[in-house]
Amino acid sequence: MASFLIRRLIMMVLTALVASFVVFAVSEFTPGSVARKSLGPFATQQQVDILTERLKANDPLLIRYGRWLGILTGVIADPLQDPGNGLNFTDPRGPRYFGNFGYSTLYKLPVNDVIWDRLGNTAILAGLAFALIVPLSIIFGVLSGLKEGGALDRILSVVSITFTSIPEFASGVFLVTLFVILWPILPGTSPMDPSGGWSVPSQLVLPVAVLVIYDFGYVARMIRVSMIEVMEKPYIRTAILKGLSQRQVILGHALRNAMIAPFTVLLLQLNFLISGVVVTELVFAYPGFGRMLLEASLFGDISTVEAATLVTVAVAIVTQFLGDLGYMALNPRIRVK
């Protein structure tokens, strides 16, 4: 186990470095200089030249990459505060949290001051949705798989297909129409600010509901299919013939084996909930990570896009690592070679 963990951690670090380098290199080599992309199309050439010199943008790519990660000493540039030449290249707080991701031209703050707050907001939203999706999917998926072709199975199939086929923006608009316009019991936006008269928990109800509606059906059907396959295995029939109760058969033999395949699906939902909730966050004006990434992309905030992409890659790598550990816990037949 120790050697497995060491190998996996090394692979995680190498994968993160390679992916981050590719992201950084692609962003750096897109048309236009780094300084021009940071300052925008209306900056003067003098400002671009000054920022290029101060950012050391003419240094070799590997040197700039090391500075970006925080391995080498770097600067955070605020191009909007110096009344003299239009540029200010120092931040007394210095780089925060990790790396030196630069200055966000959209939010007028260092990227580190923006990205982690937005990621924390999305983590709250994703955590609440995931905490509801997992138990609901397991309960209804298992019950449906035990009664294949029955009334509950048919109802779940119809509901799952219907919910999964409805886009997030459509279900969001539908819920807003019901609970904001027709029955005004919930807020229509979720700015995570109680000063508007609505508590923060009430602002989370509709965004979480949209995510649960969209994801619940898909995961439940995956668990249903896996449960049906497991219940047809010889060891399940043997357990039933031994006189074990249905509860003992399900909890002691079937459920653990039925969760091996859907476990990957559940972990993939983490990636989706962290970086793929752009539509939900836009519909409800939620200050989250996905909305930030979209706004930065549309604005051309290259520093924020680079950092957000790196975080997304890190989430995917950690999720894969957790998947490997989960497989080992659920299936003792898996041996590390």
Side-chain angles (χ1 to χ4, degrees):
M1 176 63 75
S3 61
F4 167 77
L5 291 176
I6 293 174
R7 289 201 303 269
R8 292 301 300 166
L9 289 173
I10 293 175
M11 287 301 300
M12 286 173 59
V13 173
L14 291 178
T15 303
L17 287 175
V18 172
S20 63
F21 179 76
V22 171
V23 169
F24 182 77
V26 169
S27 300
E28 293 288 305
F29 286 122
T30 51
S33 66
V34 176
R36 173 61 68 183
K37 286 183 288 187
S38 297
L39 294 175
F42 301 107
T44 65
Q45 186 59 43
Q46 180 184 10
Q47 291 174 326
V48 172
D49 294 339
I50 294 173
L51 184 57
T52 299
E53 179 182 355
R54 296 295 182 88
L55 289 178
K56 302 179 180 178
N58 293 323
D59 287 351
L61 181 63
L62 289 177
I63 300 297
R64 284 182 281 140
Y65 171 69
R67 188 182 302 124
W68 180 63
L69 286 182
I71 300 174
L72 302 176
T73 303
V75 295
I76 293 180
D78 180 347
L80 303 174
Q81 293 182 357
D82 188 347
N85 55 23
L87 299 171
N88 178 28
F89 300 96
T90 60
D91 185 342
R93 294 168 297 180
R96 299 176 60 192
Y97 301 104
F98 174 77
N100 184 1
F101 294 137
Y103 184 86
S104 171
T105 55
L106 172 61
Y107 299 102
K108 309 301 185 292
L109 289 169
V111 173
N112 268 320
D113 288 357
V114 177
I115 191 170
W116 302 112
D117 292 337
R118 294 300 188 97
L119 185 62
N121 289 338
T122 296
I124 294 173
L125 184 64
L128 292 173
F130 195 72
L132 293 174
I133 291 170
V134 172
L136 288 175
S137 300
I138 292 177
I139 292 172
F140 286 98
V142 169
L143 292 177
S144 179
L146 292 174
K147 303 293 183 180
E148 182 184 7
L152 178 62
D153 185 28
R154 294 179 183 275
I155 293 173
L156 178 66
S157 297
V158 173
V159 171
S160 299
I161 294 174
T162 302
F163 282 176
T164 306
S165 61
I166 298 176
E168 296 164 88
F169 72 86
S171 58
V173 171
F174 176 73
L175 292 179
V176 168
T177 303
L178 285 180
F179 299 108
V180 178
I181 300 176
L182 296 180
W183 305 311
I185 58 176
L186 291 171
T189 58
S190 306
M192 298 294 282
D193 184 1
S195 62
W198 295 96
S199 65
V200 171
S202 66
Q203 295 176 28
L204 291 169
V205 172
L206 291 183
V208 170
V210 169
L211 295 177
V212 172
I213 288 173
Y214 185 79
D215 254 11
F216 156 73
Y218 174 68
V219 179
R221 284 186 60 81
M222 292 293 296
I223 296 177
R224 168 192 174 272
V225 172
S226 183
M227 194 68 186
I228 292 173
E229 293 178 355
V230 169
M231 292 302 293
E232 296 175 351
K233 297 293 184 181
Y235 62 84
I236 296 296
R237 292 196 295 268
T238 301
I240 295 174
L241 292 174
K242 285 182 177 181
L244 297 179
S245 65
Q246 187 180 38
R247 182 175 182 273
Q248 291 174 318
V249 172
I250 294 173
L251 298 181
H253 299 276
L255 184 58
R256 178 174 179 174
N257 292 285
M259 288 303 299
I260 293 176
F263 187 76
T264 301
V265 177
L266 286 172
L267 287 180
L268 288 175
Q269 305 314 304
L270 290 175
N271 290 330
F272 164 74
L273 291 172
I274 292 295
S275 59
V277 294
V278 180
V279 175
T280 302
E281 292 180 351
L282 283 176
V283 169
F284 295 100
Y286 188 82
F289 182 80
R291 179 184 169 194
M292 178 205 70
L293 181 56
L294 177 62
E295 291 175 347
S297 300
L298 295 176
F299 188 81
D301 187 353
I302 190 67
S303 298
T304 303
V305 172
E306 287 177 346
T309 306
L310 177 60
V311 171
T312 304
V313 170
V315 170
I317 293 172
V318 172
T319 301
Q320 183 180 4
F321 177 68
L322 294 177
D324 292 337
L325 295 181
Y327 274 124
M328 295 181 64
L330 292 172
N331 190 355
R333 292 174 297 178
I334 298 177
R335 294 290 180 263
V336 182
K337 298 182 180 180

